[in-house]
Amino acid sequence: MAIPSFTGDASPYGGGEPYADYRTADFPFTQYANLADRQLGAGVIAANDEFFAMRENLLLAHPAVFDPEHFGHKGKVMDGWETRRRRGVSAEHPWPTEDDHDWALVRLGAPGVIRGIVIDTAHFRGNYPQAVSVEATSVEGSPTPDELCGGDVKWTTLVPRTPVGGHAANGFAVDVEQRFTHLRVNQHPDGGIARLRVYGEVAADPKWLAALGTFDVVALENGGQVEDASDRFYSPATNTIQPGRSRKMDDGWETRRRRDTGNDWIRYRLVQQSEIRAVEIDTAYLKGNSAGWAALSVRDGESGEWVEALPRTRLQPDTNHRFVLDAPVVGTHVRVDIFPDGGISRLRLFGSLTEDGAARLAARHQELGG
């Protein structure tokens, strides 16, 4: 599938809704989790320049905001990362060189395989970079910016130097089957980027999970994924496996109101084949719109039969419900059905990898260069 691309300036802001002429598209890789989510633990750990706007803005969860009247002592206040205008070395050569660029180092919230990147230049209409490029590396532990910039760190190009458009969502599909921990985002030669989104699959460290023993086998940070959901009208189903408790209503999963006799559901893929022993279903901040009942089924393998692990059970609003299963269940996939509609904020499945699951995870980790 071809990825839509945008180049050139957007029109100067002429009043009214700032997003009215924003250029965007549906990118196929946005089904994956955002590995650069602050809630997952991501951070912008360094940038060579952030004169006009802070590097940390890149990872803010909400869309970039534009206030035409907001000016500070350095100039127009922008909701993004913006560097000063580069200059040449002399009056005879006042222009930046071909190699001049600004950069920011991003620590992913969890190591993973990257499927797509969005570099959003919302509201940067004439002050966006001419081109961008993105590189990635895998460095264990907690490296400093100086260590990441050292000559012994190997960087892999995910997005080659590519022209981008102003006031646009610039999307790039990535086809590099490796596990990465950090990105280097480059803008050529200078300018501003509003937001960065890095979509992919978490690839957890098997040694870490083995040391934990019992852990949440569906958690995003451990490698769990949402495969599908019946409805994503108000909020994404991936919210249900984010770290921590929900902090507000839209930090969970909520469906539209049903007017039929069906029900809503989410299907998950576990980190690998696991033995599940306990379940948490949280409806925090869902008070007049929580699911009325929930049931949980487990499947082992892509073609296995669904087996009920938790029968249809009444849920209370704004409550964390805990269930110890009568007997452990083994599987690779889980489905939560809610009745008839509404939402849940978090799902936690506590257990451990089976011997086969641990072996498969270790093999995949090695395959990805871990």
Side-chain angles (χ1 to χ4, degrees):
M1 177 180 177
I3 302 296
S5 61
F6 308 100
T7 55
D9 293 351
S11 299
Y13 176 66
E17 168 52 50
Y19 275 103
D21 59 341
Y22 176 67
R23 296 176 287 176
T24 187
D26 291 327
F27 301 115
F29 46 75
T30 55
Q31 62 178 299
Y32 296 101
N34 177 20
L35 303 182
D37 190 339
R38 282 288 299 167
Q39 192 172 352
L40 194 57
V44 186
I45 61 175
N48 72 305
D49 186 287
E50 47 188 326
F51 185 86
F52 285 115
M54 305 185 297
R55 64 182 191 261
E56 288 85 358
N57 290 338
L58 281 173
L59 305 189
L60 292 177
H62 59 80
V65 177
F66 181 73
D67 180 353
E69 304 300 326
H70 194 187
F71 286 84
H73 65 278
K74 292 183 178 180
K76 180 73 185 70
V77 175
M78 296 296 290
D79 185 6
W81 168 49
E82 185 181 6
T83 66
R84 74 194 79 199
R85 299 187 188 215
R86 282 184 170 269
R87 298 294 185 240
V89 295
S90 68
E92 290 73 27
H93 299 279
W95 309 279
T97 70
E98 181 67 14
D99 294 331
D100 282 345
H101 67 279
D102 292 318
W103 54 265
L105 295 177
V106 178
R107 179 190 64 242
L108 298 179
V113 182
I114 298 167
R115 303 300 184 194
I117 296 172
V118 173
I119 294 180
D120 188 350
T121 58
H123 315 303
F124 289 93
R125 295 170 175 269
N127 51 347
Y128 59 94
Q130 181 185 30
V132 299
S133 60
V134 182
E135 302 159 280
T137 190
S138 183
V139 179
E140 295 306 311
S142 304
T144 66
D146 286 344
E147 289 169 336
L148 287 171
C149 292
D152 58 339
V153 174
K154 177 187 175 183
W155 291 91
T156 299
T157 298
L158 302 186
V159 179
R161 182 168 175 166
T162 306
V164 294
H167 196 45
N170 299 278
F172 306 92
V174 175
D175 185 21
V176 180
E177 203 70 12
Q178 292 182 42
R179 177 182 184 267
F180 295 113
T181 60
H182 295 77
L183 298 186
R184 183 161 62 193
V185 179
N186 305 305
Q187 48 178 335
H188 308 266
D190 53 38
I193 299 170
R195 296 289 187 267
L196 172 71
R197 303 292 185 245
V198 182
Y199 296 98
E201 303 172 66
V202 174
D205 184 348
K207 291 182 180 179
W208 174 253
L209 297 184
L212 293 180
T214 295
F215 60 93
D216 182 357
V217 297
V218 77
L220 181 62
E221 60 189 321
N222 293 332
Q225 290 185 46
V226 169
E227 284 195 330
D228 201 2
S230 60
D231 187 291
R232 299 177 175 87
F233 190 83
Y234 286 113
S235 45
T238 303
N239 283 353
T240 60
I241 54 175
Q242 285 277 10
R245 295 200 71 198
S246 176
R247 296 167 295 178
K248 50 192 175 73
M249 191 173 72
D250 67 351
D251 193 15
W253 172 61
E254 182 189 359
T255 70
R256 74 192 82 196
R257 300 187 188 213
R258 276 191 171 267
R259 302 307 187 197
D260 58 21
T261 57
N263 72 283
D264 289 315
W265 50 268
I266 306 176
R267 187 176 74 244
Y268 303 88
R269 188 173 78 198
L270 307 183
V271 55
Q272 255 300 341
Q273 188 188 63
S274 303
E275 181 182 88
I276 303 167
R277 296 185 288 273
V279 176
E280 280 190 5
I281 300 175
D282 196 354
T283 59
Y285 292 97
L286 295 164
K287 299 180 179 181
N289 50 356
S290 67
W293 292 262
L296 186 140
S297 302
V298 178
R299 186 181 77 190
D300 191 25
E302 295 293 339
S303 57
E305 296 291 326
W306 288 104
V307 176
E308 184 180 79
L310 182 70
R312 193 179 303 188
T313 303
R314 189 75 168 93
L315 299 182
Q316 299 300 320
D318 196 29
T319 301
N320 191 25
H321 309 77
R322 290 180 169 176
F323 308 96
V324 176
L325 301 183
D326 292 336
V329 292
V330 172
T332 56
H333 296 73
V334 163
R335 173 175 163 140
V336 171
D337 286 89
I338 63 170
F339 302 88
D341 56 23
I344 61 174
S345 61
R346 294 290 188 272
L347 173 71
R348 305 295 186 216
L349 303 176
F350 295 103
S352 54
L353 294 175
T354 64
E355 185 175 336
D356 183 63
R360 288 176 180 272
L361 187 68
R364 177 64 171 159
H365 186 70
Q366 186 173 15
E367 182 182 307
L368 295 174

